[in-house]
Short mmCIF file of all heavy atoms in Angstrom, two decimals:
data_model
loop_
_atom_site.label_atom_id
_atom_site.label_comp_id
_atom_site.label_asym_id
_atom_site.label_seq_id
_atom_site.Cartn_x
_atom_site.Cartn_y
_atom_site.Cartn_z
N MET A 1 115.24 11.07 -64.07
CA MET A 1 113.96 11.38 -63.54
C MET A 1 113.42 10.14 -62.83
O MET A 1 113.62 9.00 -63.25
CB MET A 1 112.99 11.78 -64.70
CG MET A 1 111.63 12.16 -64.21
SD MET A 1 110.69 13.08 -65.44
CE MET A 1 109.62 11.82 -65.99
N ARG A 4 106.84 7.55 -59.34
CA ARG A 4 106.24 6.68 -58.29
C ARG A 4 105.17 5.84 -58.97
O ARG A 4 104.27 6.32 -59.64
CB ARG A 4 105.62 7.52 -57.20
CG ARG A 4 105.07 6.67 -56.05
CD ARG A 4 104.42 7.49 -54.96
NE ARG A 4 103.18 8.08 -55.40
CZ ARG A 4 101.98 7.43 -55.40
NH1 ARG A 4 101.91 6.19 -54.98
NH2 ARG A 4 100.90 8.04 -55.78
N ASN A 6 101.91 4.03 -58.78
CA ASN A 6 100.74 4.14 -57.90
C ASN A 6 100.18 2.76 -57.51
O ASN A 6 99.47 2.68 -56.54
CB ASN A 6 99.68 5.03 -58.52
CG ASN A 6 99.12 4.47 -59.80
OD1 ASN A 6 99.74 3.62 -60.44
ND2 ASN A 6 97.96 4.95 -60.21
N CYS A 8 102.22 -0.02 -56.82
CA CYS A 8 103.14 -0.63 -55.90
C CYS A 8 103.64 0.33 -54.81
O CYS A 8 104.23 -0.07 -53.84
CB CYS A 8 104.35 -1.19 -56.63
SG CYS A 8 103.91 -2.39 -57.92
N VAL A 10 106.08 2.52 -55.00
CA VAL A 10 107.53 2.54 -54.99
C VAL A 10 108.02 3.58 -55.95
O VAL A 10 107.35 3.93 -56.92
CB VAL A 10 108.16 1.15 -55.35
CG1 VAL A 10 107.78 0.13 -54.31
CG2 VAL A 10 107.75 0.71 -56.73
N ILE A 11 109.21 4.10 -55.70
CA ILE A 11 109.87 5.06 -56.61
C ILE A 11 110.78 4.26 -57.53
O ILE A 11 111.58 3.43 -57.11
CB ILE A 11 110.69 6.06 -55.78
CG1 ILE A 11 109.80 6.76 -54.75
CG2 ILE A 11 111.37 7.06 -56.73
CD1 ILE A 11 108.71 7.59 -55.33
N ARG A 24 106.44 -9.35 -61.85
CA ARG A 24 105.36 -10.14 -61.31
C ARG A 24 104.61 -9.39 -60.20
O ARG A 24 103.38 -9.39 -60.17
CB ARG A 24 105.93 -11.46 -60.76
CG ARG A 24 104.88 -12.35 -60.12
CD ARG A 24 105.50 -13.69 -59.73
NE ARG A 24 104.65 -14.44 -58.81
CZ ARG A 24 103.61 -15.15 -59.16
NH1 ARG A 24 103.24 -15.15 -60.44
NH2 ARG A 24 102.91 -15.80 -58.25
N ASN A 36 89.06 -5.24 -58.25
CA ASN A 36 88.33 -4.42 -57.33
C ASN A 36 87.48 -3.35 -58.03
O ASN A 36 86.34 -3.09 -57.69
CB ASN A 36 89.24 -3.76 -56.30
CG ASN A 36 89.81 -4.78 -55.33
OD1 ASN A 36 89.24 -5.82 -55.10
ND2 ASN A 36 90.94 -4.47 -54.77
N PRO A 44 76.35 -2.88 -57.85
CA PRO A 44 74.97 -2.36 -57.80
C PRO A 44 73.94 -3.19 -58.54
O PRO A 44 72.79 -3.22 -58.15
CB PRO A 44 75.08 -0.94 -58.38
CG PRO A 44 76.49 -0.56 -58.16
CD PRO A 44 77.28 -1.85 -58.30
N ILE A 53 73.98 -18.17 -52.31
CA ILE A 53 75.27 -17.68 -51.84
C ILE A 53 75.12 -16.26 -51.28
O ILE A 53 75.69 -15.95 -50.21
CB ILE A 53 76.33 -17.72 -52.98
CG1 ILE A 53 76.60 -19.18 -53.34
CG2 ILE A 53 77.59 -17.00 -52.55
CD1 ILE A 53 77.45 -19.37 -54.53
N TRP A 56 73.48 -16.45 -47.92
CA TRP A 56 74.42 -17.00 -46.95
C TRP A 56 75.39 -15.95 -46.48
O TRP A 56 75.65 -15.78 -45.27
CB TRP A 56 75.13 -18.18 -47.56
CG TRP A 56 76.14 -18.82 -46.66
CD1 TRP A 56 75.90 -19.60 -45.57
CD2 TRP A 56 77.57 -18.75 -46.77
NE1 TRP A 56 77.09 -20.00 -45.03
CE2 TRP A 56 78.14 -19.51 -45.76
CE3 TRP A 56 78.42 -18.14 -47.70
CZ2 TRP A 56 79.50 -19.64 -45.57
CZ3 TRP A 56 79.80 -18.25 -47.56
CH2 TRP A 56 80.31 -19.00 -46.50
N ASP A 59 73.69 -13.40 -44.27
CA ASP A 59 73.46 -13.96 -42.93
C ASP A 59 74.74 -13.99 -42.13
O ASP A 59 74.71 -13.79 -40.92
CB ASP A 59 72.87 -15.36 -43.05
CG ASP A 59 71.43 -15.36 -43.49
OD1 ASP A 59 70.80 -14.26 -43.48
OD2 ASP A 59 70.92 -16.41 -43.90
N ASP A 64 76.12 -12.40 -35.02
CA ASP A 64 76.96 -11.75 -34.00
C ASP A 64 78.03 -12.77 -33.53
O ASP A 64 77.75 -13.60 -32.69
CB ASP A 64 76.12 -11.28 -32.82
CG ASP A 64 76.92 -10.64 -31.74
OD1 ASP A 64 78.11 -10.42 -31.95
OD2 ASP A 64 76.33 -10.33 -30.69
N THR A 68 78.40 -14.57 -26.73
CA THR A 68 78.65 -15.92 -26.15
C THR A 68 77.35 -16.64 -25.93
O THR A 68 77.36 -17.83 -25.59
CB THR A 68 79.38 -15.80 -24.79
OG1 THR A 68 78.63 -14.95 -23.94
CG2 THR A 68 80.78 -15.23 -25.01
N LYS A 70 74.00 -18.61 -26.88
CA LYS A 70 73.61 -19.48 -28.00
C LYS A 70 72.15 -19.11 -28.36
O LYS A 70 71.31 -18.93 -27.52
CB LYS A 70 73.67 -20.92 -27.56
CG LYS A 70 75.04 -21.30 -27.09
CD LYS A 70 75.48 -22.56 -27.72
CE LYS A 70 76.86 -22.83 -27.20
NZ LYS A 70 77.68 -23.58 -27.97
#
Side-chain angles (χ1 to χ4, degrees):
M1 182 163 102
R4 185 181 70 82
N6 63 341
C8 303
V10 295
I11 305 295
R24 177 175 167 79
N36 289 337
I53 294 173
W56 178 73
D59 289 345
D64 180 7
T68 57
K70 303 228 180 205

